[in-house]
Amino acid sequence: MGAGQSGDQLAVAVISHVIQSHGPELIAMRKQMSDAAKKNNDPKFCTRKQFQQAEVAVTVDDSDKEIFDRLFTLFDKTGAGTVMWREFLCGLAPLTKGSVAERLLLAFELYDTANTGTLDMTEIKMTFRALNQTAAAMGDPLLSLDQMSELVETVFESVGEQLLEGEGAKTKLRYAGAISEFVDHPIMESYLAQGK
């Protein structure tokens, strides 16, 4: 069990009980950060100042700002005051209130900046890496890269054709219809059982 756990729950679940921000605020922040990042040399990145401006624009609660700011620091891999904003926002999803399925759906929605309802295998793996980074910051257990790959690849293989779009490496998953496939996967069940 991770050092940040309290009782029989993962630390991210415990923190979610004090976070005031919900999915709609994070979705609104996605728009703010996307627009801000387009002004940067590399639109994949957002500065701390741009993130703080997004928080103000969507009226994030002051108590949440402190937690989000600490996570920003942990997602800032180079110490340059920048984060890959899509991954960072995905990393905030497990801190919101809701079931595991609701939080996972929110993480996918945050990564899906085009609002297509679909993500390819690489994008879903990146979403799980962001969730893992938040778990690490909270002292919770982590999924290994092999476990993440197996989880995502087996879900892509097991869902029906109605949930897939495209072919080959560009195949995209209609993620809302596959949430239970992820949550009920033996790898996820084993991971979530570590917090009990």
Side-chain angles (χ1 to χ4, degrees):
M1 290 189 133
Q5 294 175 2
S6 171
D8 63 351
Q9 293 187 334
L10 297 172
V12 293
V14 173
I15 292 272
S16 74
H17 295 292
V18 298
I19 293 290
Q20 302 302 310
S21 299
H22 301 287
E25 288 93 349
L26 295 183
I27 294 291
M29 282 179 61
R30 180 187 70 184
K31 170 80 170 111
Q32 295 287 323
M33 291 176 75
S34 172
D35 290 348
K38 289 174 186 171
K39 300 173 187 170
N40 298 338
N41 289 339
D42 187 342
K44 291 184 218 163
F45 289 88
C46 203
T47 67
R48 184 180 301 272
K49 182 178 180 181
Q50 289 169 325
F51 169 63
Q52 290 168 338
Q53 289 169 339
E55 285 180 311
V56 169
V58 300
T59 60
V60 169
D61 189 86
D62 286 340
S63 62
D64 293 355
K65 287 179 184 178
E66 183 177 336
I67 295 167
F68 292 172
D69 188 61
R70 288 179 188 203
L71 275 174
F72 188 100
T73 300
L74 294 170
F75 272 78
D76 180 5
K77 296 175 183 156
T78 63
T82 61
V83 294
M84 294 179 73
W85 65 269
R86 286 169 69 188
E87 288 79 1
F88 172 66
L89 283 178
C90 290
L92 298 180
L95 302 180
T96 62
K97 290 179 179 69
S99 67
V100 171
E102 291 166 331
R103 292 182 224 180
L104 184 57
L105 178 59
L106 175 59
F108 290 152
E109 289 171 342
L110 290 166
Y111 205 90
D112 179 15
T113 57
N115 292 319
T116 63
T118 62
L119 293 172
D120 67 30
M121 195 177 293
T122 300
E123 292 168 324
I124 290 179
K125 287 178 183 179
M126 292 301 292
T127 302
F128 274 104
R129 287 184 71 177
L131 298 173
N132 224 26
Q133 197 165 344
T134 298
M138 298 294 158
D140 285 334
L142 305 177
L143 289 174
S144 70
L145 291 176
D146 288 341
Q147 288 174 312
M148 281 188 268
S149 290
E150 182 181 341
L151 170 63
V152 174
E153 290 165 11
T154 56
V155 167
F156 265 76
E157 291 169 5
S158 68
V159 298
E161 287 184 24
Q162 73 278 8
L163 294 179
L164 298 174
E165 256 180 42
E167 294 181 21
K170 292 297 178 185
T171 300
K172 291 192 172 231
L173 176 69
R174 290 185 186 93
Y175 52 79
I179 292 298
S180 64
E181 295 285 335
F182 286 106
V183 174
D184 297 336
H185 193 283
I187 289 174
M188 280 292 282
E189 287 180 342
S190 175
Y191 170 77
L192 294 169
Q194 294 178 64
K196 292 184 179 179

